[in-house]
Amino acid sequence: MTRKLLAPPPAGSDLKPIYGTGHPGVVEVLRFFRDPITMVAQRRAQFGDITYMNSFGLKFVIPLTPGGSEEIAINKKKAFANEPAWGFLIGPFFRRGIILMDFSEHRHHRRIMQEAFNPTHLKGYLQDMQPMLKDRVANLPVGDDVRMLKELKQVTLDLALEIFLGMDLPRAEADRINKAFIDCVDAGLSLIRKDIPGTKWARGLRGRKVLEDFFYEHLPAKRASVTPDLFSVLCHAKSEDGDTFTDEDVVNHMIFVLMAAHDTSTITLTTMVYYMAKHPEWQRRAREQSQGLPPDISYDTLDEFTVLDRIMKESLRLNSPVPGLPRRAIEDTEIDGHFVPKGTYVSAINLVNHHNPALWKDPEHFDPDRFSPERAEDKVHRYAWMPFGGGVHKCIGLYFAQMEIKTVMHNLLLRYEWSVPEDYVWKLDNSTLPVPKDRLPVRLRAL
Ligand code: HEM
């Protein structure tokens, strides 16, 4: 078995070394794309609590325990920075987004942005999204081959345009913006990372330009009036100290937040639809609960969707939309007592913990009741379940996501029934964010 040292710990220190296979990056990345769960299990068997992996020509240290993930997320010694890691992956397309900021600058921007996600604004977004999502879900096509990833992506994009932008864009314009976002996201994790015509990277750069032009064009109108959408809220948001965003900040944050909100919710919804098709008893349970609750969801009834809540948590566990929390060590440091030299890339990878048999009973099995108060398997460690990350960069949109996901699913359950053939098993494309390769074909029929 090959075993290659990352870097020798400093002489005299009691820090332990980190090993990896030393396989070429392309081999490691392709193996990870093909079957990340098996790869992680093999690494754990071979290297124990921590390893490193070659990818994109870099070495990424990956802790294989929830404690190691926590150390990265909490970043107690401020030894890990976001910008050099996220910047490497998505920087050209999402530059100056909040996830690319660090330390005092990040704190400054986060405090202003937090205002857009306070309960008053969240209540407003939730109320506004009810009629819109009801209408969009009612207009889904029915049939034997409805590609749910594609349909749900359209729904979440329309929601983003309406709730975040407060604009009723013509279809062609909405599609143009949607395409620009998709191009930016796809470019981030592409293997060819140069502006060569025809590549994802080149399309991503063009997409970024489309988005910037679009937001700058509409910005003066948003500054001039106060409306309940996120675009306007960010234009007028003030931290407790009275700080506000510049025009450039608003544009950069809008581009990143829309991206952060859009694909993540789509993937969660698609995963829930998949597992509820594979497990019709759970679809029935969720539908029965929805039928007993009011057709519109309000801030006060959100917590009553306990079945959907467990299905959502289990879906986020089995297929986490954001695969990990990439960072770069800006000084010599350690994870779990192992030496991490300055300059090393590190990442807490969600599926490492989400599929760890030491943390979950029968982890590959879809079992939403593991999140019931009686079983509470997620409470075994604070980072056993970490789809929204942790620490200062923890997802700012986690309540928004919950509101959107529950509203879409509630409407879907009240209107339709869906199924997949009994032997159907989806195949995920892990080369960007994890999505079904075939876009999840289901038989969707109206109730
Ligand atoms: C199920 C849906 C979602 C998932 C799984 C998710 C996951 C995550 C994760 C893991 C992070 C932390 C990344 C890191 O630390 O490196 C994050 C950050 C972030 N998310 Fe989400 N997210 C979701 C939905 C949303 C929504 C709906 C919004 C906006 C409305 C949003 C906005 C953000 C922002 C702005 C950040 C960066 C926060 C910061 O750096 O301070 N997310 N998200």
Side-chain angles (χ1 to χ4, degrees), residues 129-149:
M129 73 173 76
Q130 297 305 308
M132 184 254 141
L133 285 177
K134 190 178 289 169
D135 180 62
R136 289 294 291 110
V137 171
N139 284 307
L140 286 176
V142 286
D144 288 346
D145 183 8
V146 178
R147 304 282 159 149
M148 288 307 277
L149 175 68

Side-chain angles (χ1 to χ4, degrees), residues 140-149 151 273-274 276-278 280 283 287 412 415-422 424 438-447:
L140 286 176
V142 286
D144 288 346
D145 183 8
V146 178
R147 304 282 159 149
M148 288 307 277
L149 175 68
E151 298 302 331
V273 166
Y274 170 65
M276 281 197 258
K278 292 283 290 175
Q283 193 180 141
R287 184 170 296 108
L412 209 57
R415 282 201 158 256
Y416 307 97
E417 206 172 51
W418 62 94
S419 58
V420 289
E422 215 167 298
Y424 172 81
D438 56 8
R439 294 181 294 164
L440 185 58
V442 305
R443 178 164 185 250
L444 188 69
R445 68 171 196 87
L447 282 172

